[in-house]
Amino acid sequence: MSSAAVLGPTLAFLAELAGDGQALEFAIGTGRVGVPLRERGVPVMGIELSEHMAAVLRRKIDEDFLPVIIGDMATTVVPGEFTLVYLVYNTITNLLTQDEQVECFRNAARHLEPGGRFVIELGVPPLRFLPPGQVAVPFDVSEQHLGFDTFDLVEQILVSHHLTRDGDDGRYRRENSRHRYAWPTELDLMARIAGLELERRVADWDGAPFTRDSAKHISVWRKPT
Ligand SMILES: C[S@@+](CC[C@H](N)C(=O)[O-])C[C@H]1O[C@@H](n2cnc3c(N)ncnc32)[C@H](O)[C@@H]1O
């Protein structure tokens, strides 16, 4: 995700939407996207829940150059108006209820100037890989790592399980993470609730068309002028 092949088109897409304005990254993490976007000349601010992640970012770039506020992206308000708010790398799914995800859209809209855009990068829920009777969908079966997803279809919760081999002693470390998955059309309704309109949906940062077989989408909603 940090390779030039991934970041190049991501930064070009976001920089064009930011135009001459400021960008706000929700869940900026260690600045994988925010730092190079700032270095490209786009003024960027970030909101991040984890002080630890923000501390790693801070080792890369000065506070004056890229301010980060510690807080929840669904509720934290930062000063200023933005032409672009963006939330990438499936991170809307870290909000585990529909209410929190709606609040996140509202918070994005709150920070946008009229005509500004909210951009989300998100995988399409991989439910076509879950036939009736099967409880898990593997996504990686390799020597060092076993990864599979399990689903609560009622609550729209996906749990990603990882078993990772650290050394040569045959032992595996187990980790998992919970996510609330949502279809693109559900996000469009959340956007409407927040007063935003769908402007564009593509399958990747290069702008490939979004189709029934797309594994992910980049969606752009606009705040009306
Ligand atoms: C997968 S990382 C993505 C980081 C960065 N946006 C990127 O693309 O590399 C997810 C980040 O979301 C942060 N996060 C999770 N829930 C959050 C919330 N409710 N508000 C703000 N940040 C959150 C995590 O601490 C973590 O840094």
Side-chain angles (χ1 to χ4, degrees):
M1 289 299 279
S2 296
S3 69
V6 173
L7 273 183
T10 308
L11 298 176
F13 193 106
L14 294 174
E16 189 183 338
L17 289 184
D20 295 329
Q22 304 189 79
L24 173 63
E25 179 167 354
F26 279 178
I28 193 168
T30 61
R32 178 184 67 91
V33 176
V35 168
L37 191 62
R38 180 67 189 95
E39 286 168 348
R40 228 180 137 111
V42 178
V44 177
M45 280 184 78
I47 296 177
E48 170 55 47
L49 195 60
S50 155
E51 290 192 22
H52 173 72
M53 298 291 267
V56 176
L57 177 148
R58 192 50 64 228
R59 291 203 287 272
K60 300 180 190 168
I61 196 163
D62 263 11
E63 173 75 25
D64 293 347
F65 207 49
L66 198 169
V68 174
I69 309 293
I70 299 296
D72 185 334
M73 61 188 168
T75 51
T76 302
V77 178
V78 304
E81 272 207 324
F82 299 82
T83 48
L84 173 69
V85 177
Y86 65 96
L87 174 56
V88 295
Y89 208 165
N90 298 325
T91 306
I92 183 99
T93 67
N94 286 37
L95 300 172
L96 294 175
T97 64
Q98 188 183 57
D99 281 350
E100 286 175 282
Q101 293 183 352
V102 168
E103 281 314 306
C104 182
F105 271 81
R106 282 194 206 272
N107 203 28
R110 185 176 292 134
H111 286 93
L112 286 174
E113 59 181 56
R117 272 93 171 190
F118 182 37
V119 173
I120 278 190
E121 174 189 34
L122 180 61
V124 173
L127 291 178
R128 289 166 83 187
F129 298 107
L130 186 74
Q134 189 169 317
V135 294
V137 173
F139 54 82
D140 186 28
V141 181
S142 59
E143 210 35 50
Q144 299 299 325
H145 179 242
L146 298 172
F148 58 93
D149 292 329
T150 55
F151 298 85
D152 178 336
L153 299 177
V154 175
E155 297 296 331
Q156 284 187 211
I157 296 290
L158 173 161
V159 182
S160 277
H161 304 258
H162 300 270
L163 289 162
T164 309
R165 196 143 87 172
D166 287 328
D168 291 332
D169 61 1
R171 291 160 70 100
Y172 283 82
R173 179 167 42 91
R174 182 168 184 180
E175 290 166 310
N176 60 45
S177 57
R178 285 172 75 77
H179 305 268
R180 181 181 187 273
Y181 62 86
W183 299 97
T185 46
E186 187 185 358
L187 300 184
D188 290 341
L189 276 177
M190 293 183 190
R192 274 205 214 182
I193 290 168
L196 304 174
E197 296 166 350
L198 180 67
E199 182 177 68
R200 191 175 177 209
R201 171 162 294 132
V202 290
D204 61 29
W205 294 107
D206 287 311
F210 180 74
T211 70
R212 51 178 284 169
D213 294 321
S214 299
K216 73 173 209 177
H217 60 104
I218 319 289
S219 296
V220 181
W221 297 274
R222 187 164 183 266
K223 185 166 179 170
T225 48

